[in-house]
Amino acid sequence: LEMNIRKVQNFTHQKVTAIRKDLADIDARVEAYLKTEDKSKSELKSLKKDVSEIGTTFIRLEKFVNMNFTGFYKILKKHDKSLPLSQPCRPFYMARLHNQSWVRGDYSNVLVTLSRIHGSLRGDTEGKQVESGKQDFVRSTKKYWVRVEDVSEVKHLVLQHLPVFLQKNMGGESDSQLINSVYLDNAQLELYHGRLDK
């Protein structure tokens, strides 16, 4: 079991390192593309495709991590069930699993970087926050429950179309909180721009 935990640890570390390197490379390509005078549509399409592939690779890696964690849990549960007289292994190994970097790792910076790159390709501009601005808008709310294992996939799908809003909290800035709001707007993005202006 220890050997398999190390295998997952090494594989995950290798993949996350490769994803971060790919993000840095594509970020440099996007900046170079934005500085050129003659912007070709084929190059823009290629950049969007490459960014999307990096995001898909990240989501697949996260699903791999979740599947391995669940697999270790089930193996330990079955072991302890089939050997009831021996000392249970599950509490010890589950504590070890929770301390593994591939389980407790915070990879929100990958999602924030993906969002920033998508925003650059969309031509997003940075909004200004006004502290005393009154916010008048008609609110229409729809709420959806998303399974914990699907949160990153939903974030990835949304960030391809909307920028990630960074929350300030005690630990700095994060893209996550327990409840997130997504505003659906019309084609002219009137609600979105109105919120940015206020």
Side-chain angles (χ1 to χ4, degrees):
L1 195 60
E2 284 291 331
M3 183 178 71
N4 287 319
I5 290 174
R6 272 194 308 278
K7 274 186 188 176
V8 173
Q9 168 71 27
N10 293 338
F11 178 79
T12 305
H13 178 71
Q14 174 189 359
K15 287 295 186 184
V16 167
T17 302
I19 287 170
R20 287 190 171 131
K21 181 189 174 302
D22 291 345
L23 278 174
D25 292 346
I26 195 80
D27 198 15
R29 284 178 51 205
V30 167
E31 284 192 31
Y33 170 78
L34 293 175
K35 289 179 182 176
T36 61
E37 297 277 330
D38 187 30
K39 294 176 175 54
S40 73
K41 289 189 179 192
S42 63
E43 178 65 16
L44 177 63
K45 189 175 181 179
S46 171
L47 288 169
K48 285 182 178 181
K49 180 179 174 264
D50 291 348
V51 173
S52 183
E53 285 175 3
I54 293 170
T56 301
T57 301
F58 175 71
I59 298 302
R60 289 180 67 201
L61 178 64
E62 185 181 56
K63 290 198 180 293
F64 170 82
V65 166
N66 291 339
M67 187 172 29
N68 275 280
F69 183 83
T70 302
F72 284 126
Y73 175 81
K74 288 183 177 186
I75 288 168
L76 291 166
K77 183 177 177 182
K78 190 160 195 132
H79 173 271
D80 288 352
K81 188 177 178 182
S82 63
L83 299 172
L85 300 177
S86 68
Q87 185 69 20
C89 294
R90 189 173 59 182
F92 170 75
Y93 276 105
M94 290 310 293
R96 281 199 28 76
L97 280 174
H98 281 290
N99 287 328
Q100 296 295 313
S101 64
W102 55 274
V103 172
R104 64 178 165 73
D106 179 17
Y107 302 114
S108 63
N109 62 337
V110 172
L111 290 172
V112 170
T113 303
L114 281 168
S115 174
R116 187 175 45 74
I117 292 170
H118 277 290
S120 296
L121 292 173
R122 282 190 307 264
D124 292 353
T125 58
E126 200 160 315
K128 296 178 183 117
Q129 183 176 0
V130 178
E131 296 294 327
S132 64
K134 187 178 175 189
Q135 298 180 356
D136 292 328
F137 63 94
V138 178
R139 183 181 303 249
S140 174
T141 304
K142 296 219 187 267
K143 297 183 181 189
Y144 301 94
W145 287 101
V146 178
R147 294 185 324 195
V148 173
E149 60 268 16
D150 294 332
V151 168
S152 290
E153 190 168 358
V154 170
K155 282 183 180 182
H156 179 249
L157 290 170
V158 170
L159 69 80
Q160 292 178 40
H161 306 284
L162 296 170
V164 168
F165 177 71
L166 295 177
Q167 301 288 325
K168 292 186 191 307
N169 57 26
M170 293 180 5
E173 287 189 333
S174 172
D175 76 315
S176 300
Q177 59 183 16
L178 292 177
I179 299 173
N180 285 310
S181 297
V182 175
Y183 298 96
L184 300 178
D185 208 344
N186 61 15
Q188 290 75 34
L189 300 175
E190 290 173 350
L191 177 61
Y192 176 75
H193 291 295
R195 296 283 288 168
L196 288 179
D197 291 340
K198 293 180 186 222

